[in-house]
Amino acid sequence: MAETILEIKNLVRSFGAKRALDNINLSLEKGTVLGLVGQNGAGKTTLIKHILGLLRAESGSVRVFGMDPVADPPGVLSKIGYLSEEGDLPLWMKVDELIRYSAAFYPGWDSKYAEELQKQFGLSSGAKLGSLSKGQRARAGLLIALAFRPELLLLDEPSSGLDPVVRKDILSAVIRTIADEGRTVLFSSHLLTEVEQVSDRVVMIQDGKIVIDDELATIKQEYCQVSLRFKSPQTVPPSISGGLHWQGDGRNWTALWSGDTDQLLASLSALDGELVSKRGVSLDEIFVAYAGGEKS
Amino acid sequence: MAMRLYISPSDGVPIYLQIVQQIRRLVASGELSPGEELPSIRVLAESLVVNPNTIARAYRELEQAGIVSSSRGLGTFVAEFSQSTSRSERRAVLAEKAQALVLEAHQMGVPLSELNEIVTEACNALRAINPEENHG
C-alpha cells in the first residue's frame, strides 16, 4: 500500500445555516493526481482551506502527512506547494525578491530548479509582480509552488481565466511533479478536459457532499450515454434505474446511465423499448448530468 | 522517436485506450516496425501532457496483448511478431471499425443488406482507381 498523504474523516463545516461540507470522507495516496470538481459554491475551496489549516473542522478530522494542519501549520505548510486562483503574491515585490524571499522561507528550496523555471517561464528578475500580466503572475506563483519540490502540490482553480499557453504550463508542471519522484497532486478545476487529461482519480462534490470518488478510468467505464426508443410515446422519463438527466419526449429518450446492462435490457423490454445506442461519455457530460438532474 | 499520437481528453474513450488503439494502428499499418523503441513513459507523458500512470497502463495493455515487449531498464519495444500476428492485428483494427459502422447503420435504420451494397460499391470504387486491388 502506498503512503497516505491526506486523510479526511467525517468532515463537517457550516456557514450559518448552510452546510458547506457535509460529512466528507477522503483519503489520498502518494503518487496520485486527484482532480476535484464541482460547481461554484459546491465546497471545493472550503475543503482545500481545511487541508491548508486555514479553517478548523467543525466536526470530523483532517490529517495531512499524519498531522493536524490547524495545530501544526508550519509542519504541514512546509510540505505543500499551493497555488490559488488569486495567486496571493506580494504585488509590490520584484520577481527576484520574491524568489529570494521564498528561498529563505522553505528549507527544501531548489535554486537550480527555480532558475530553470524562471527561464522557462520567461520571468525577468527585475519585473514587479504588480505590473506582470495575469498569465505571468500565475507562472510566478507556480514557480514558488514548485521550486521547493513539495510533497503535495495543491492547486485551487489554477487555470481560471488564463490563456491556453499558461494553462499548458500548469498541466505540464503537474505531470512533472508526479513523474519526478512520485509526489502527489490535488487540484480543483472546472475545466473538465484538463481534469481528464492529467488525473488518476476524480472526486466530484455537490452541495458539500462527495457524489463521485473513483479512478478516472473506472468512472469512464461505468458511465455511458444511452439512447432509447419506445414503441409508444412516454410522457414522463422512463423509470429505469441508473438513469440520470433524462432528456427527450415521445418515443425517443436519452440519459446518462450506469449499471448492469442485462438489467437495463430487461427493464427496457418490460417497457416495450429498445436500446438504440450506448456510447462512452466525457467527464463534462457526467458533470452536467449530475448538476442538472436527480438520479431516478 | 517521433510517434504521432493525438489525445482527445473529452472523448468518451478513456485516454489509456486511445493510446492503445492508436499504437495498435501504427503497428498494424507498419508505421511502427518490430524492434522499434517506444518513447519512455515519462517522455510520452510530458509530451502529451498526460498522467504517466495512464501511459504506463496503456503500455501494460499493449504488452499483455503481445504488441510490445518491455525489458526493465532497457525500454519498451514493438514486439517481433510473425506474419500471422500482424495479419490478425490488422483484422482486429478493421473489425473494430466495422463494428462502429454496423452500429451506425443500425441507428440510422439502414438495413444490413443495404450496408453491404455500400461497402461493395466502395470496394469497386477503390478497384477502379487502383487495379492492383483486383488480386486481393
Side-chain angles (χ1 to χ4, degrees):
Chain A
M1 278 301 273
E3 187 186 330
T4 302
I5 299 295
L6 173 67
E7 183 90 66
I8 296 174
K9 282 186 182 153
N10 309 110
L11 176 63
V12 172
R13 176 81 198 191
S14 315
F15 295 122
K18 189 183 185 274
R19 273 258 153 122
L21 295 177
D22 193 354
N23 202 31
I24 298 283
N25 285 286
L26 181 68
S27 75
L28 177 59
E29 285 185 351
K30 188 177 174 174
T32 307
V33 177
L34 177 78
L36 183 62
V37 303
Q39 285 178 286
N40 290 335
K44 299 184 303 268
T45 299
T46 308
L47 180 60
I48 287 172
K49 283 184 172 164
H50 280 86
I51 298 169
L52 291 167
L54 300 173
L55 287 173
R56 185 188 296 275
E58 188 178 308
S59 68
S61 68
V62 176
R63 292 289 175 274
V64 188
F65 307 106
M67 295 175 278
D68 178 352
V70 176
D72 185 5
V76 169
L77 293 180
S78 62
K79 294 178 166 197
I80 300 180
Y82 172 61
L83 179 66
S84 71
E85 185 184 350
E86 297 87 26
D88 335 300
L89 294 173
L91 296 181
W92 47 271
M93 274 192 189
K94 290 177 183 160
V95 169
D96 58 351
E97 288 169 340
L98 176 73
I99 291 175
R100 277 203 302 277
Y101 168 82
S102 308
F105 191 77
Y106 295 106
W109 188 265
D110 183 338
S111 309
K112 238 181 112 183
Y113 188 30
E115 244 171 68
E116 185 195 317
L117 288 168
Q118 193 189 344
K119 203 182 275 173
Q120 186 197 329
F121 292 164
L123 291 162
S124 41
S125 297
K128 219 172 167 184
L129 294 172
S131 57
L132 290 178
S133 68
K134 194 171 188 295
Q136 284 307 81
R137 227 169 17 236
R139 286 190 173 104
L142 188 61
L143 186 157
I144 302 306
L146 292 170
F148 66 104
R149 298 192 181 273
E151 285 180 50
L152 173 64
L153 184 61
L154 191 54
L155 309 170
D156 188 9
E157 295 283 355
S159 303
S160 254
L162 297 177
D163 67 69
V165 184
V166 187
R167 294 211 305 263
K168 190 168 179 233
D169 280 345
I170 293 173
L171 290 185
S172 298
V174 169
I175 297 302
R176 272 182 75 171
T177 300
I178 57 153
D180 272 353
E181 299 113 34
R183 285 171 293 154
T184 311
V185 181
L186 191 160
F187 82 112
S188 79
S189 178
H190 59 265
L191 294 168
L192 297 179
T193 48
E194 296 190 357
V195 174
E196 287 207 65
Q197 204 172 329
V198 301
S199 302
D200 293 294
R201 210 174 118 204
V202 172
V203 167
M204 189 181 289
I205 303 193
Q206 196 171 19
D207 298 327
K209 290 192 185 74
I210 291 180
V211 290
I212 294 179
D213 175 1
D214 220 328
E215 302 283 321
L216 177 59
T218 310
I219 295 173
K220 300 260 295 190
Q221 255 159 28
E222 271 177 14
Y223 287 91
C224 51
Q225 175 85 20
V226 292
S227 301
L228 314 175
R229 191 179 296 142
F230 296 91
K231 276 243 166 67
S232 50
Q234 311 279 311
T235 47
V236 289
S239 74
I240 286 171
S241 72
L244 197 65
H245 198 51
W246 287 99
Q247 284 186 314
D249 48 48
R251 296 179 56 218
N252 296 303
W253 289 82
T254 63
L256 180 78
W257 174 85
S258 70
D260 178 45
T261 308
D262 290 339
Q263 218 166 51
L264 171 70
L265 293 176
S267 340
L268 261 175
S269 71
L271 293 167
D272 233 348
E274 62 158 343
L275 180 62
V276 180
S277 73
K278 190 165 148 230
R279 63 164 177 85
V281 287
S282 67
L283 200 54
D284 204 54
E285 290 172 290
I286 299 175
F287 183 84
V288 168
Y290 266 89
E294 291 302 309
K295 201 150 185 151
S296 67
Chain B
M1 190 218 61
M3 185 165 67
R4 288 175 300 126
L5 299 179
Y6 301 97
I7 299 306
S8 162
S10 54
D11 197 289
V13 181
I15 293 173
Y16 84 90
L17 215 50
Q18 293 183 32
I19 296 170
V20 168
Q21 288 168 349
Q22 289 183 35
I23 292 181
R24 285 189 99 123
R25 243 164 254 159
L26 289 173
V27 170
S29 69
E31 271 182 72
L32 280 175
S33 34
E36 202 167 325
E37 184 173 4
L38 297 186
S40 73
I41 288 173
R42 190 196 160 123
V43 165
L44 192 56
E46 285 183 7
S47 78
L48 295 176
V49 196
V50 159
N51 192 309
N53 296 328
T54 305
I55 310 285
R57 177 159 183 195
Y59 278 14
R60 231 170 21 244
E61 299 249 333
L62 286 165
E63 198 176 348
Q64 273 160 15
I67 312 293
V68 304
S69 64
S70 73
S71 43
R72 219 167 232 291
L74 281 177
T76 304
F77 301 87
V78 178
E80 306 277 351
F81 41 71
S82 62
Q83 204 94 51
S84 69
T85 327
S86 95
R87 182 155 179 266
S88 71
E89 192 51 34
R90 279 201 289 270
R91 280 190 74 102
V93 168
L94 289 174
E96 201 180 290
K97 298 219 169 201
Q99 254 172 28
L101 184 66
V102 169
L103 186 68
E104 192 160 350
H106 176 67
Q107 281 168 18
M108 294 194 296
V110 174
L112 293 186
S113 56
E114 201 178 324
L115 178 63
N116 252 327
E117 280 168 31
I118 296 171
V119 172
T120 310
E121 275 167 30
C123 293
N124 290 339
L126 183 64
R127 279 196 194 100
I129 50 169
N130 189 359
E132 260 179 48
E133 289 294 322
N134 280 322
H135 309 299

